[in-house]
Amino acid sequence: MTVDAGRIATGAPRIYFAHCPAWGRMDAAVADVERIASLGFDHLLVSAFFRGPEGVAGTARNRPEDHGRPVFPDTPSADEAIEQLARAAAAEGLKLLIDLDFHHFDAGHRLVADSPESFLLHRRSDDSAPLDPRRPRPAQGVALARLNDGQSASTVLAYFRPLLARWFAAGLQGVRLVGIERAGAAFWRDAVGQLRELSPDALILGETTGTPWDQVVALGDAGLDLISSSVAWWDGRARWLVEEYEALRGVAPLLGAPEAPYGP
């Protein structure tokens, strides 16, 4: 396994994460960028902000119905939302990153309708299955892309390619890949390779917290710039943090956060 450390500038990137629906409107998001920059950050990572089905909480992150429409009511398209955020970020010396999830879609998404064989549909819950709080069941109406199937993976990547080309052209500087555990190394090598073709200098992070170490180690030749450290959950004494570092540092540099991003 090799890591191209030269892709990462001296010192770790200082990334501020923003949950887009909390802003409510694009004008509020743009107005907040100056404050974020004043805190000493040099990158702004925003959650997925694509419109989900009406009346379903959390859809911007978990089940987008349309990747062309943002949650912001004052911005008509995702392309325009990225352009506005990228322009505001650049004016303050920030680089814009976005969460990218190839796995979760709403069952009403156009791609699901066009290629249903590429998805596992959860139209209703299975009440007979045992509950496991570590692995919540997909909500009703969620479509999960079959990323370990070659043809399905190609279908999903082909859908995202023109979107990403426009977003990079609009000023997007990188992505954080979420759902790493949902696909094998072959898919991620292909996905990262296509991202590099579209934007060779893009910063590509892998959100690997909670992913089994052997699955992360298999990504050693995927081309990720950074992967996630679990330091936010460390108690200051346990040995597992050092063990994690030793196990994963050959994949890519580990980037830590001072607090758990989605709660304890």
Side-chain angles (χ1 to χ4, degrees):
M1 295 179 294
T2 60
V3 175
D4 184 2
R7 292 189 54 84
I8 306 299
T10 302
R14 301 182 300 278
I15 301 174
Y16 183 96
F17 174 74
H19 181 56
C20 285
W23 278 320
R25 296 174 55 87
M26 176 57 69
D27 53 8
V30 169
D32 198 31
V33 171
E34 182 179 0
R35 178 191 66 85
I36 294 169
S38 73
L39 298 174
F41 294 96
D42 53 23
H43 289 72
L44 170 59
L45 169 64
V46 297
S47 66
F49 53 71
F50 310 109
R51 189 74 61 86
E54 295 294 332
V56 181
T59 57
R61 180 171 165 268
N62 296 322
R63 49 187 289 192
E65 189 176 46
D66 186 348
H67 285 90
R69 298 166 60 214
V71 295
F72 305 116
D74 54 338
T75 308
S77 72
D79 293 6
E80 186 174 335
I82 287 177
E83 183 176 8
Q84 289 188 40
L85 278 173
R87 184 167 59 245
E92 299 295 337
L94 300 172
K95 294 182 177 181
L96 179 67
L97 315 174
I98 190 171
D99 274 346
L100 185 59
D101 186 350
F102 292 113
H103 185 59
H104 288 83
F105 294 74
D106 185 75
H109 195 286
R110 176 175 58 83
L111 182 62
V112 179
D114 291 345
S115 304
E117 71 283 354
S118 296
F119 295 87
L120 178 64
L121 300 180
H122 289 266
R123 297 195 181 278
R124 55 176 177 238
S125 61
D126 178 8
D127 294 332
S128 65
L131 291 173
D132 184 344
R134 300 168 301 173
R135 294 178 175 83
R137 299 174 190 163
Q140 295 183 50
V142 170
L144 305 178
R146 300 178 186 272
L147 299 180
N148 288 320
D149 172 75
Q151 184 57 53
S152 300
S154 296
T155 296
V156 171
L157 291 175
Y159 167 78
F160 275 102
R161 190 177 179 96
L163 296 177
L164 287 161
R166 295 200 304 269
W167 298 343
F168 283 128
L172 185 66
Q173 297 289 314
V175 299
R176 178 172 68 166
L177 301 174
V178 300
I180 290 287
E181 74 283 0
R182 300 293 186 173
F187 172 81
W188 294 116
R189 283 192 293 270
D190 193 7
V192 173
Q194 293 197 32
L195 288 166
R196 295 277 180 232
E197 291 174 6
L198 294 171
S199 181
D201 296 326
L203 183 65
I204 303 178
L205 293 73
E207 173 48 73
T208 54
T209 50
T211 304
W213 289 355
D214 59 344
Q215 193 172 350
V216 180
V217 169
L219 301 174
D221 60 352
L224 296 170
D225 291 316
L226 296 163
I227 59 175
S228 303
S229 166
S230 302
V231 66
W233 292 270
W234 188 44
D235 64 4
R237 298 181 300 276
R239 290 178 51 85
W240 63 258
L241 185 67
V242 175
E243 293 169 352
E244 176 189 69
Y245 174 76
E246 286 299 322
L248 304 183
R249 65 190 179 98
V251 177
L254 277 74
L255 184 68
E259 58 185 6
Y262 303 116

